[in-house]
């Protein structure tokens, strides 16, 4: 990632995008520097942020309920639903058999009738078993019914590359669901993102795909007093500038935000000022924020774990070329996962997703 960023700023020609295929060094991102949070009073893990958001929304609205595999007695495969069964009972925290198509269909039907289901997938890879209900039953109903059917449902769970679980369990679905009209697609990075966006998703009248990251659940982030208020929610469709800069714009989401921040911090020591934009929302996409940043820095890099072809980065690059081409001083650049199914071996897995620094 660093090599590509340096080339983007200093090269007058087309910079290389071969960074993905090289042996790369994983550097744990630093979460303490450069991000600004208003009146930070404590730190909170992403796991606890999601748990508290669910708890507060279930307390505020009796129509909200949680359904999925192991969400009750086991308290969630990743403990996101910890304590909710004891507090709200089995009618609102519903353990299901291993049948994504079944419980997703039940959830969509419940949303048709005015309830607000939160459907947990143990991993979003398993959402493929339920993709007919997510897209054909949930996403299209409002439009096809001329607004008569509202589907207030949230589909949530871990998305993207995990660790050592192979190709069937390590894939990013942001581009898949982000291409479908009728869905809203969110991808939080920090605890404040997770808490504010999940609350907004549960309150929203439309179906929301909520893409968490398994490797971020245990990470702690500063969280403001404002974000700890039970009324807190973040606006859907608004990106956040995590780090301001003037030489190059880095647009990214989810776990890659941390990597991009650390890369920007390293580059700052070399005199390169990188602006890092945390998308937060994949659909709707905050095109005005992206284009405004590019018109200031005149260069664009996108960073994502997903596949390069038809990816989120490809859509962002197309948007900038369409709306801000005359402001670009260099070709747009995409950094993404390798165009291969995720390898199982740890060394190959590291080579298949973006890293901060080369060997």
């Amino acid at each position: 990632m660093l090599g590509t960023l340096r080339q983007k700023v200093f090269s007058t020609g087309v910079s290389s995008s071969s960074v993905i295929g090289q042996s790369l060094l994983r550097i744990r991102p630093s979460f303490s520097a450069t991000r600004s949070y208003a009146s930070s009073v404590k730190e909170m893990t992403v796991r606890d942020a999601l748990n508290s958001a669910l708890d507060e929304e279930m307390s505020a609205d009796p129509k909200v309920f949680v359904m999925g595999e192991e969400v009750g007695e086991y308290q969630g495969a990743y403990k996101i639903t910890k304590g909710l069964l004891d507090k709200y009972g089995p009618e609102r925290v519903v353990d299901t058999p291993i049948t994504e198509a079944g419980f997703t269909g039940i959830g969509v039907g419940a949303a048709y009738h005015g309830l607000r289901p939160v459907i947990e997938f143990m991993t979003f890879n398993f959402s493929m078993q339920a993709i007919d209900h997510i897209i054909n039953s949930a996403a299209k109903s409002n439009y096809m019914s001329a607004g008569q059917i509202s589907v207030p449902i949230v589909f949530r769970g871990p998305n993207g590359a995990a660790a050592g679980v192979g190709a069937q369990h390590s894939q990013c679905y942001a581009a898949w669901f982000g291409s479908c009209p009728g869905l809203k697609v969110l991808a939080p990075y920090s605890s404040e993102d997770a808490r504010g966006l999940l609350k907004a998703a549960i309150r929203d009248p439309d179906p929301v795909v909520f893409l968490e990251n398994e490797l971020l659940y245990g990470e702690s982030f500063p969280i403001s007093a404002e974000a700890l208020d039970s009324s807190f929610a973040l606006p859907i469709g608004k990106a956040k500038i995590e780090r301001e800069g003037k030489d190059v714009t880095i647009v990214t989401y989810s776990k890659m935000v941390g990597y991009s921040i650390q890369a920007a911090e390293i580059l700052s020591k070399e005199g390169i000022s990188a602006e890092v934009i945390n998308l937060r929302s994949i659909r709707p996409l905050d095109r005005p924020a992206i284009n405004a940043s590019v018109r200031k820095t005149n260069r664009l890099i996108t960073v994502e774990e997903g596949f390069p072809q038809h990816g989120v980065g490809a859509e962002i690059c197309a948007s900038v070329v369409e709306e801000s081409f005359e402001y670009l001083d260099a070709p747009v650049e995409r950094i993404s996962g390798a165009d291969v199914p995720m390898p199982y071996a740890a060394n190959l897995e590291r080579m298949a997703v973006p890293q901060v620094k080369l060997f």
Side-chain angles (χ1 to χ4, degrees):
M1 184 187 299
L2 276 173
T4 305
L5 289 168
R6 288 192 189 96
Q7 290 179 44
K8 177 56 61 182
V9 175
F10 292 130
S11 175
T12 57
V14 178
S15 55
S16 170
S17 59
S18 62
V19 65
I20 301 305
Q22 302 177 42
S23 296
L24 303 176
L25 174 64
R26 184 181 299 273
I27 293 182
R28 188 179 184 82
S30 167
F31 298 112
S32 60
T34 72
R35 289 193 312 278
S36 59
Y37 295 85
S39 60
S40 294
V41 294
K42 63 178 291 186
E43 288 201 346
M44 178 181 281
T45 65
V46 171
R47 176 182 288 108
D48 288 343
L50 293 167
N51 176 263
S52 65
L54 281 170
D55 186 7
E56 290 173 7
E57 292 306 303
M58 292 180 74
S59 177
D61 187 349
K63 293 182 290 185
V64 178
F65 72 97
V66 178
M67 182 163 51
E69 297 152 355
E70 299 184 346
V71 298
E73 294 290 344
Y74 192 68
Q75 304 193 77
Y78 297 95
K79 300 299 181 274
I80 306 300
T81 53
K82 184 177 180 179
L84 299 184
L85 176 63
D86 291 341
K87 190 170 183 178
Y88 299 103
E91 290 189 353
R92 295 186 64 195
V93 184
V94 184
D95 277 322
T96 69
I98 302 175
T99 168
E100 281 77 14
F103 65 74
T104 303
I106 291 170
V108 173
Y112 283 171
H113 287 275
L115 297 179
R116 292 184 173 272
V118 179
I119 304 300
E120 177 177 303
F121 296 119
M122 199 174 292
T123 162
F124 251 95
N125 296 270
F126 299 159
S127 72
M128 294 182 73
Q129 302 293 324
I131 201 166
D132 179 51
H133 286 304
I134 296 171
I135 293 178
N136 282 328
S137 300
K140 299 177 181 178
S141 292
N142 186 267
Y143 183 83
M144 295 181 71
S145 67
Q148 296 179 74
I149 299 176
S150 177
V151 192
I153 187 170
V154 178
F155 307 100
R156 53 153 296 269
N159 171 70
V165 291
Q168 298 96 330
H169 303 84
S170 286
Q171 186 168 320
C172 179
Y173 285 86
W176 287 58
F177 291 116
S179 68
C180 182
L183 287 178
K184 294 175 181 175
V185 182
L186 307 179
Y189 162 59
S190 66
S191 300
E192 204 154 304
D193 286 358
R195 185 171 157 78
L197 290 174
L198 183 55
K199 281 174 163 288
I202 293 171
R203 299 171 190 176
D204 200 89
D206 300 317
V208 180
V209 171
F210 198 85
L211 303 173
E212 301 153 14
N213 187 285
E214 174 185 338
L215 300 180
L216 287 176
Y217 283 145
E219 295 287 353
S220 293
F221 294 82
I223 190 160
S224 67
E226 177 191 9
L228 292 172
D229 190 275
S230 61
S231 64
F232 177 71
L234 288 171
I236 292 175
K238 295 296 183 181
K240 178 187 178 184
I241 298 177
E242 295 281 352
R243 189 183 193 282
E244 293 190 354
K246 59 183 178 59
D247 294 327
V248 60
T249 296
I250 306 173
V251 183
T252 184
Y253 61 94
S254 190
K255 189 171 187 289
M256 291 295 104
V257 175
Y259 279 27
S260 298
I261 290 171
Q262 186 168 359
E265 290 171 351
I266 295 171
L267 288 171
S268 69
K269 298 173 183 177
E270 304 176 13
I272 301 172
S273 175
E275 183 151 292
V276 179
I277 294 181
N278 170 11
L279 285 176
R280 287 178 167 172
S281 178
I282 306 300
R283 187 184 186 103
L285 194 62
D286 194 350
R287 299 174 195 273
I290 296 167
N291 279 279
S293 178
V294 171
R295 292 182 182 196
K296 177 178 68 173
T297 68
N298 310 117
R299 297 170 179 85
L300 171 68
I301 297 277
T302 66
V303 184
E304 62 185 317
E305 282 187 328
F307 301 132
Q309 185 163 323
H310 308 307
V312 174
E315 175 64 24
I316 293 166
C317 290
S319 173
V320 168
V321 168
E322 289 170 351
E323 299 179 38
S324 303
F325 179 77
E326 66 273 24
Y327 290 88
L328 290 170
D329 287 343
V332 296
E333 190 81 42
R334 290 181 293 158
I335 297 175
S336 71
D339 198 22
V340 297
M342 178 61 72
Y344 171 73
N347 61 326
L348 298 178
E349 185 180 59
R350 283 193 296 272
M351 294 169 64
V353 292
Q355 305 295 329
V356 176
K357 207 171 185 181
L358 297 173
F359 277 116

